[in-house]
Amino acid sequence: MAKIETLKRPAPARSGWDLDRILEELRVSREVTNNIRHGGHVHELPSPDIILNVIEGLCAALFPTHLGQAPLSRENTGYFVSNALTTALGRLADQVHRGLKFNADGNEPQGLMKSRAEAMTQDFAAQLPTIRAVLVSDLKAAYQADPSANSIAEILLCYRGATAVIYHRIAHALDRLGARLVARVISDLAHASTGIDIHPGARIGESFFIGHGTGVVIGETAVIGNNVQLSQAVTLEADRDKVKSLPRHPILEDDVIVYAGATILGPVTVGKGSVIGGNVWLIESVPPGSIITQAKTQADCSGPSELLPGS
């Protein structure tokens, strides 16, 4: 005979807790005085735990022999990738649907919204081969830039910068398709596990490498060209008093290198092939081939950064 499970009553409150009063005051706070729900209503939000599972499945499908279920042979890799994608994409479609419902204005029919989520997920899936190709360029850039790297496998398994870039490529594709809440969750998951904070709206070219990475911040409207390298604690952020709808973050053209601790603020442009030295504070555009370093120490320790022409 099957065992019938019943809901258990909460354990009696310990003397002095006055649980009934606390529960009622929390309810009033949620419902009335301090209601922070979007539109004032309860929403079925995307789940960070499920989205993390989706990302792990997508990473395994993109790099099955490195991040997938071992052991895999040439013969069974295709079956593994098929199963991983089927599961991950199905869950992703549900999370995208939840994100669309959260941001809905109430006029779109639920059935149409679900179809739109499935179409967006299908469009995202079609981009996976292109995303993988760009990620391979990132991995090769990391291998070439870091003399301590012994293999691509080592980079995939051990480099937090590579993990953050993989997450960003996925999040950026979803953000461009309109799945913005899911994309933000993905970027936050990357930030939590790597210490690297890249807004999913940031546009980043091929062969991108983040060395070490902890403390790197890249803002929403930042634009980064091809073959760019960043070190740890680099900040590409907006300055104050900028309009949200306008570009407000830096542009790094191709072949730029930014060393540890540098801060670049506002919609400034760093020209192609420039090098930004460590701990530089940059708020003005610089031409191609520039080298920006800390000025020699002045007697009052207040000297500005110096601009040296590239060779």
Side-chain angles (χ1 to χ4, degrees):
M1 183 175 179
K3 182 179 179 181
I4 300 176
E5 295 185 359
T6 58
L7 293 175
K8 295 182 180 180
R9 297 180 64 84
R14 186 175 298 175
S15 176
W17 283 6
D18 196 5
L19 191 58
D20 290 339
R21 178 186 61 79
I22 295 171
L23 289 173
E24 175 59 18
E25 290 183 359
L26 287 174
R27 184 196 67 78
V28 172
S29 178
R30 290 193 309 271
E31 305 290 345
V32 184
T33 57
N34 299 297
N35 187 337
I36 58 173
R37 294 168 182 159
H38 186 62
H41 306 294
V42 176
H43 294 272
E44 189 179 26
L45 293 168
S47 165
D49 289 339
I50 294 176
I51 292 175
L52 178 59
N53 185 266
V54 167
I55 294 300
E56 290 173 345
L58 292 174
C59 289
L62 290 169
F63 301 101
T65 59
H66 293 85
L67 304 178
Q69 178 180 339
L72 290 174
S73 65
R74 185 181 299 271
E75 290 74 21
N76 64 15
T77 297
Y79 293 106
F80 170 79
V81 172
S82 176
N83 290 333
L85 282 180
T86 299
T87 300
L89 293 173
R91 291 173 175 170
L92 178 60
D94 177 65
Q95 296 303 303
V96 171
H97 183 210
R98 291 185 178 206
L100 292 179
K101 288 195 295 183
F102 175 79
N103 289 316
D105 57 10
N107 296 322
E108 185 175 3
Q110 288 295 317
L112 181 59
M113 198 179 302
K114 185 174 183 180
S115 297
R116 189 154 63 94
E118 292 173 351
M120 291 166 64
T121 305
Q122 186 175 14
D123 289 344
F124 167 77
Q127 297 181 43
L128 286 174
T130 301
I131 291 173
R132 187 182 191 279
V134 177
L135 287 171
V136 169
S137 78
D138 299 327
L139 295 169
K140 290 180 177 179
Y143 182 71
Q144 293 168 1
D146 190 349
S148 70
N150 295 306
S151 66
I152 295 295
E154 179 183 349
I155 293 167
L156 272 169
L157 294 174
C158 305
Y159 282 44
R160 297 302 89 189
T163 300
V165 172
I166 292 172
Y167 277 46
H168 173 72
R169 300 290 189 196
I170 293 171
H172 182 67
L174 289 167
D175 183 74
R176 294 195 67 183
L177 288 168
R180 292 183 175 83
L181 186 55
V182 171
R184 285 305 302 268
V185 173
I186 294 172
S187 67
D188 186 67
L189 290 170
H191 186 196
S193 65
T194 68
I196 298 169
D197 186 1
I198 310 176
H199 193 286
R203 292 187 287 154
I204 301 177
E206 298 180 0
S207 302
F208 179 55
F209 173 54
I210 301 176
H212 300 290
T214 303
V216 167
V217 177
I218 302 175
E220 178 184 14
T221 63
V223 179
I224 297 176
N226 298 325
N227 306 307
V228 171
Q229 299 178 30
L230 306 182
S231 296
Q232 66 271 23
V234 167
T235 299
L236 307 180
E237 257 294 7
D239 55 8
R240 290 189 173 186
D241 302 324
K242 292 299 179 183
V243 180
K244 275 192 173 186
S245 60
L246 298 177
R248 58 192 186 278
H249 296 90
I251 298 172
L252 307 187
E253 295 183 345
D254 296 349
D255 306 315
V256 167
I257 299 175
V258 185
Y259 284 100
T263 297
I264 306 175
L265 295 181
V268 301
T269 297
V270 178
K272 180 178 179 179
S274 294
V275 177
I276 308 301
N279 297 317
V280 165
W281 182 276
L282 185 64
I283 57 174
E284 296 180 354
S285 296
V286 298
S290 299
I291 300 175
I292 308 298
T293 67
Q294 288 285 352
K296 294 180 180 180
T297 304
Q298 304 295 316
D300 60 359
C301 297
S302 61
S305 297
E306 61 182 354
L307 172 60
L308 303 178
S311 58

